[in-house]
């Protein structure tokens, strides 16, 4: 036996699972096809939004609360600034479905928030060019997560706790046997008591057929713009935002380099044949829609993309993650399929995956993310 637990993929979730597992026991090994935080994974792109307000299942709120605490613990453990706490805005039509759904979820989970009228928004955050029927909901606990810092800090913390990390080693297969789980890369193989699969867009080949049928790899693209006055888009003045106003939608983060601002079309993930061959360049249509939206939403940005990139992520048929053992007798634990929305809760998801995969604790109330929900599809 080569170890108690292997974590395959040290990106958004895998890095956090490795860190949390290293806190619980020894004999932990993390495998990464390239290097932690590499620019071709879903970690790429500098920042991701952290927010306590969202529309959808209230069940996520406890994970968000725990994640917020764990981001602070990782900062304290690593000495790095990982979560830039600048607040967050959800902007939409006053009577539209986006704001209504967000406020309903907030009513159920009790998240702290402030409703801002159009006039209040215009006075407090003049960077946004608002439509006459727009309003906003402010999240005081939101911010921008520094993705590459978070992943590399978590892996370094795990190594400091005794975990081993094997880089430049893509995993070809995993196979359950009577003795454990055999992990194979090329001519090499290792055996572990349990394995966590957390390789994002690369996870499909390691999944059983019923999960291959319920998932697809999609391409997510990001774009950045130069600010006319960078100080107006600093974290002190410009919260992270999601805006769904009529026919246009966009999300973004303040400037973390003092020059550029992330502003990206929302919900544009498109299927891609393979995670290794995601087209990095934006299409003419993507460029046109992005620049048109920025031209309307942000007069303070030059409406020309100065940087863009694209990344793979694994999406499920219901856009909910895969988090749990493949079945009741399996030694393989899935922590993947986060459908473009996993990073804000990555630290919490990592704690759940590590605790359950090691048999330390089982979390109730998570049937909606368990892989077995797809067995009948």
């Amino acid at each position: 036996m080569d170890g108690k637990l292997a974590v395959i993929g040290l990106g958004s979730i895998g890095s956090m699972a490795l860190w949390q597992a290293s806190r619980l026991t020894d004999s932990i090994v993390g495998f990464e096809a390239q290097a932690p935080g590499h620019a071709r994974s879903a970690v790429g792109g500098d920042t991701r939004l952290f927010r306590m307000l969202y529309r959808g299942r209230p069940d996520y709120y406890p994970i968000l609360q725990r994640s917020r605490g764990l981001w602070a613990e990782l900062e304290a453990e690593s000495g790095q600034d990982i979560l830039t706490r600048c607040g967050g805005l959800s902007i939409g039509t006053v009577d539209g479905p986006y704001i209504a759904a967000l406020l309903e979820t907030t009513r159920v989970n009790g998240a702290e928030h402030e409703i801002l009228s159009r006039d209040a928004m215009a006075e407090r955050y003049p960077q946004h060019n608002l439509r006459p029927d727009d309003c906003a909901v402010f999240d005081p606990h939101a911010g921008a997560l520094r993705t590459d810092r978070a992943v590399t800090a978590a892996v370094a913390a795990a190594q400091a706790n005794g975990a081993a990390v094997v880089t430049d080693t893509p995993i070809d297969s995993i196979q359950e046997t009577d003795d454990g789980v055999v992990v194979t890369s090329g001519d090499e193989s290792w055996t572990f008591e349990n394995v966590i699969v957390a390789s994002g867009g690369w996870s499909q080949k390691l999944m059983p057929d019923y999960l291959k049928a319920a998932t697809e790899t999609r391409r997510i693209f990001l774009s950045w713009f130069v600010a006319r006055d960078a100080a107006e888009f600093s974290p002190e003045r410009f919260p992270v935002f999601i805006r769904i106003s009529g026919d246009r939608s966009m999300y973004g983060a303040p400037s973390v380099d003092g020059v550029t601002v992330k502003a990206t079309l929302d919900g544009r993930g498109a299927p891609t044949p393979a995670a290794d061959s995601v087209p990095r360049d934006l299409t003419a249509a993507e460029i046109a829609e992005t620049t048109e939206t920025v031209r309307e939403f942000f007069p303070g940005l030059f409406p020309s993309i100065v940087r863009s990139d694209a990344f793979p992520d694994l999406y499920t048929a219901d856009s909910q993650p895969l988090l749990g053992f493949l079945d009741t007798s399996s030694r393989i634990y899935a922590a993947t399929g986060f459908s473009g929305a996993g990073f804000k809760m990555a630290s919490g998801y990592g704690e759940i995956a590590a605790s359950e995969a090691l048999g330390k604790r089982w979390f109730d109330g998570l049937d909606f993310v368990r892989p077995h929900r797809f067995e009948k599809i």
Side-chain angles (χ1 to χ4, degrees):
M1 188 72 66
D2 292 290
K4 293 180 181 176
L5 179 68
V7 180
I8 299 174
L10 300 181
S12 305
I13 311 301
S15 61
M16 303 300 151
L18 187 76
W19 171 44
Q20 291 299 313
S22 74
R23 288 175 148 190
L24 296 172
T25 190
D26 55 9
S27 194
I28 307 296
V29 181
F31 291 90
E32 171 54 50
Q34 297 188 43
H38 71 88
R40 300 308 328 124
S41 74
V43 171
D46 299 342
T47 57
R48 293 292 185 275
L49 275 57
F50 177 82
R51 52 202 173 93
M52 301 295 292
L53 303 184
Y54 58 95
R55 53 178 173 165
R57 302 191 68 105
D59 315 71
Y60 285 119
Y61 192 66
I63 305 175
L64 281 164
Q65 288 180 305
R66 180 58 181 152
S67 296
R68 185 170 53 147
L70 287 169
W71 291 127
E73 289 182 25
L74 184 57
E75 287 179 316
E77 203 165 319
S78 66
Q80 296 194 52
D81 293 326
I82 291 169
L83 174 58
T84 300
R85 295 159 178 82
C86 56
L89 292 166
S90 298
I91 306 167
T93 307
V94 171
D95 297 321
Y98 173 53
I99 295 296
L102 184 141
L103 289 176
E104 174 58 23
T105 305
T106 302
R107 182 191 66 77
V108 174
N109 64 29
E112 184 180 353
H113 67 284
E114 179 184 2
I115 299 174
L116 300 176
S117 67
R118 185 192 184 283
D119 290 343
M121 256 295 290
E123 181 178 356
R124 191 184 301 186
Y125 302 111
Q127 302 91 334
H128 295 269
N129 181 40
L130 302 169
R131 293 179 173 182
D133 55 353
D134 277 341
C135 69
V137 184
F138 179 71
D139 178 352
H141 300 296
L145 284 162
R146 304 300 300 274
T147 53
D148 48 357
R149 287 185 191 174
V151 167
T152 54
V155 172
Q159 289 177 298
N161 291 338
V165 172
V166 182
T167 60
D168 301 306
T169 305
I171 300 304
D172 299 318
S173 67
I174 51 176
Q175 182 67 46
E176 293 193 62
T177 70
D178 292 339
D179 298 322
V181 184
V182 179
V183 175
T184 302
S185 175
D187 296 331
E188 294 188 88
S189 64
W190 304 262
T191 301
F192 297 91
E193 292 181 17
N194 292 297
V195 169
I196 295 174
V197 177
S199 42
W202 289 266
S203 297
Q204 264 191 320
K205 69 177 183 179
L206 304 177
M207 295 284 98
D209 288 344
Y210 80 92
L211 289 181
K212 289 179 182 176
T215 56
E216 66 178 1
T217 300
R218 294 188 189 178
R219 168 182 172 270
I220 303 170
F221 67 86
L222 302 174
S223 52
W224 288 260
F225 296 79
V226 171
R228 300 178 192 274
D229 179 358
E232 289 299 310
F233 291 87
S234 67
E236 294 75 22
R237 298 185 184 182
F238 187 70
V240 300
F241 72 92
I242 297 178
R243 182 172 178 180
I244 303 176
S245 296
D247 58 337
R248 294 200 187 277
S249 60
M250 180 164 272
Y251 69 95
S255 178
V256 295
D257 62 6
V259 179
T260 60
V261 178
K262 178 187 282 186
T264 295
L265 297 178
D266 181 56
R268 299 304 195 277
T272 188
D276 286 318
S277 58
V278 170
R280 299 185 68 173
D281 293 333
L282 273 58
T283 66
E286 289 167 343
I287 292 170
E289 185 182 2
T290 301
T291 54
E292 287 170 9
T293 304
V294 162
R295 186 176 286 109
E296 177 188 349
F297 283 0
F298 296 110
L301 300 180
F302 290 102
S304 177
I305 297 172
V306 295
R307 176 187 164 201
S308 65
D309 212 336
F311 312 92
D313 199 6
L314 191 67
Y315 281 65
T316 64
D318 60 6
S319 296
Q320 309 299 334
L322 300 173
L323 197 68
F325 286 105
L326 299 185
D327 57 54
T328 55
S329 62
S330 179
R331 293 175 174 270
I332 299 173
Y333 189 101
T336 187
F338 290 90
S339 306
F343 207 100
K344 60 182 171 291
M345 289 181 272
S347 56
Y349 285 137
E351 182 179 56
I352 293 170
S355 299
E356 293 188 335
L358 287 168
K360 301 293 186 181
R361 178 183 174 189
W362 188 254
F363 291 76
D364 295 323
L366 293 178
D367 284 349
F368 67 102
V369 300
R370 301 305 191 190
H372 64 72
R373 72 187 187 276
F374 289 118
E375 286 184 296
K376 295 180 180 179
I377 291 181

